[in-house]
Amino acid sequence: EIVLTQSPGTLSLSPGERATLSCRASQSVISSFLAWYQQKPGQAPRLLISGASNRATDIPDRFSGSGSGTDFTLTISRLEPEDFAVYYCQQYGSQSWTFGQGTKVEIK
Amino acid sequence: EVQLVESGGGLVQPGRSLRLSCAASGFSFGDYPMSWVRQAPGKGLEWIGFIRIKAYGETTEYAASVKGRFTISRVDSISIAYLEMNSLKTEDTAVYYCTRAFSRGDAFDIWGQGTMVTVSS
């Protein structure tokens, strides 16, 4: 099973700042099978990015994904108030799906 | 509107069984694989199971933590997916989300609101 490790655990930033979230895999991940989700308190997760870099429907272009192999990044170019949330990466491979432990983006 | 609505959660004693339902609407249910993801209180997301479409035999995959205890099924004629949970343990306490997967199964683009399952004596 591929283990995904997200860093940092918590990111304290101000609105308007750039957020860079990391997701590292224990073994190589097929890039097209790496996704990112956003979850706000009391809500279900929402798909942001699939295929490592493809924004899902209605996701603003301030969200971008990149990476390959074992290192992937989610970047939020300029944080809006509604972006403060928990973010999870997720991979699919060998008939198994795993999530990272999450990164909380909080208001500084 | 594309929507998934889970039901069937509640309080159950350890060792007992529970069946969750996921009612889909707004899309051609039979064309999509479905999956279940859970989230223990204050914890992260855990994938627990996946069911393919009829064309792929409605075959299933499970996380090691639930394999042999949980069973996913689907009835395309009524657009419902099920999660049958047996031999429940206290560590199964979580919000259970039903999700729609991409056709190739790699990501989950639609999520239900979740249903809470509490396993406690």
Side-chain angles (χ1 to χ4, degrees):
Chain A
E1 174 183 291
I2 296 178
V3 176
L4 299 178
T5 302
Q6 293 186 239
S7 61
T10 301
L11 199 50
S12 298
L13 296 168
S14 301
E17 291 193 292
R18 182 184 187 89
T20 302
L21 288 65
S22 174
C23 176
R24 178 162 290 177
S26 59
Q27 53 187 285
S28 188
V29 172
I30 299 172
S31 292
S32 53
F33 293 164
L34 193 287
W36 290 91
Y37 301 83
Q38 176 193 67
Q39 187 178 34
K40 297 178 182 180
Q43 295 184 17
R46 176 176 70 148
L47 177 66
L48 296 176
I49 301 283
S50 65
S53 60
N54 303 310
R55 276 187 301 277
T57 304
D58 296 330
I59 301 303
D61 60 7
R62 63 180 180 273
F63 291 93
S64 63
S66 63
S68 64
T70 60
D71 290 294
F72 297 87
T73 300
L74 175 68
T75 302
I76 310 171
S77 59
R78 287 178 56 86
L79 283 164
E80 297 288 341
E82 61 268 27
D83 299 336
F84 292 92
V86 179
Y87 293 83
Y88 295 94
C89 58
Q90 170 255 315
Q91 71 81 36
Y92 163 60
S94 302
Q95 275 58 263
S96 178
W97 293 253
T98 52
F99 289 90
Q101 83 279 16
T103 289
K104 182 179 182 180
V105 179
E106 65 176 23
I107 300 176
K108 187 174 182 180
Chain B
E1 180 190 6
V2 175
Q3 197 172 9
L4 298 172
V5 178
E6 302 94 337
S7 60
L11 175 64
V12 61
Q13 293 179 326
R16 303 297 290 265
S17 299
L18 199 64
R19 187 178 79 164
L20 306 183
S21 299
C22 170
S25 59
F27 65 98
S28 182
F29 179 75
D31 290 342
Y32 290 87
M34 300 295 292
S35 194
W36 289 87
V37 175
R38 70 184 179 184
Q39 186 169 36
K43 302 298 184 182
L45 302 172
E46 179 188 15
W47 168 78
I48 57 172
F50 180 90
I51 184 166
R52 297 178 179 85
I53 61 174
K54 187 174 184 178
Y56 290 93
E58 299 184 358
T59 52
T60 53
E61 308 291 344
Y62 299 96
S65 59
V66 305
K67 195 170 186 179
R69 300 188 299 124
F70 289 13
T71 301
I72 297 175
S73 60
R74 62 189 299 159
V75 181
D76 292 349
S77 61
I78 56 173
S79 300
I80 294 183
Y82 298 101
L83 176 64
E84 182 80 35
M85 303 183 292
N86 298 318
S87 303
L88 282 162
K89 306 175 181 180
T90 55
E91 53 263 40
D92 294 320
T93 294
V95 174
Y96 284 74
Y97 294 103
C98 170
T99 77
R100 186 182 81 172
F102 281 173
S103 296
R104 62 184 185 182
D106 59 300
F108 311 124
D109 64 339
I110 303 296
W111 294 63
Q113 85 287 352
T115 187
M116 182 70 201
V117 173
T118 302
V119 183
S120 174
S121 54

